[in-house]
Amino acid sequence: MTTWRAVKELKKARLVDTRRIGNSVAVSITDDPVMLRTLRSIPDTDPQRAAAKAFAEELSVHPWLAECRLFGTVGRGEHRPGEEVDVAIVYDDGAPEEEAKRVSGEVAEAVRARTNVTIIPLCISSREMGRRGGLGSELRDKEKIWERGKDK
């Protein structure tokens, strides 16, 4: 199959959009929210989720990391291409918050440099995650993308 034939089939399925620029045709992933949800259900087609998982895996070498959770538009599956990714970094209570914030920021920047996807880390202690009310209670039902003891 030629690339152009594949593009025509993807356009017919409403998965990509095309537009003419001079003698060329630009192809981009659709911005239709329903079709984007469909695309995201296929593994490895969502650059934001892939970048978030890479971020979590890189951060996992630090013993203070307890888990990483996706939240915001990416966590809800409502994001558009190019949006930032919100990741909750849950760190052990004994770890210094400053170190968790510094290292999370450094790893987020390294992932952005490689993938061109911006990760916004939010650091929260395990104790805060367990409290009733507040930010922890908002994050508890969000998707875990990495958890200590459950890594590959």
Side-chain angles (χ1 to χ4, degrees), residues 18-42:
T18 60
R19 63 185 165 93
R20 187 159 287 287
I21 302 173
N23 291 332
S24 301
V25 176
V27 180
S28 59
I29 293 176
T30 183
D31 59 0
D32 177 341
V34 173
M35 297 313 292
L36 283 172
R37 269 193 294 280
T38 301
L39 283 172
R40 287 189 189 98
S41 69
I42 303 168

Side-chain angles (χ1 to χ4, degrees), residues 4 8 13 17 23 26 31 34 43 63 69 72 74 87 98-99 106 108 115 117-118 126 143 147:
W4 190 241
K8 282 183 177 181
D17 295 320
N23 291 332
D31 59 0
V34 173
R69 293 179 182 250
V74 175
V87 180
E98 301 78 32
E99 181 182 354
E106 290 170 358
T115 65
V117 173
T118 302
S126 295
E143 177 187 352
E147 182 178 12

Side-chain angles (χ1 to χ4, degrees), residues 5-7 9 14-15 20 22 36 46 61-62 65 67 76-77 79 81 86 88 99 112 124 130-131 141 147:
R5 189 176 302 153
V7 167
E9 288 183 23
R14 298 184 2 238
L15 297 173
R20 187 159 287 287
L36 283 172
D46 187 339
V61 301
H62 297 280
L65 181 65
E67 62 187 46
R76 291 189 306 272
H79 60 289
D86 297 306
E99 181 182 354
R112 189 205 56 75
I124 182 169
R131 287 191 181 143
D141 67 339
E147 182 178 12

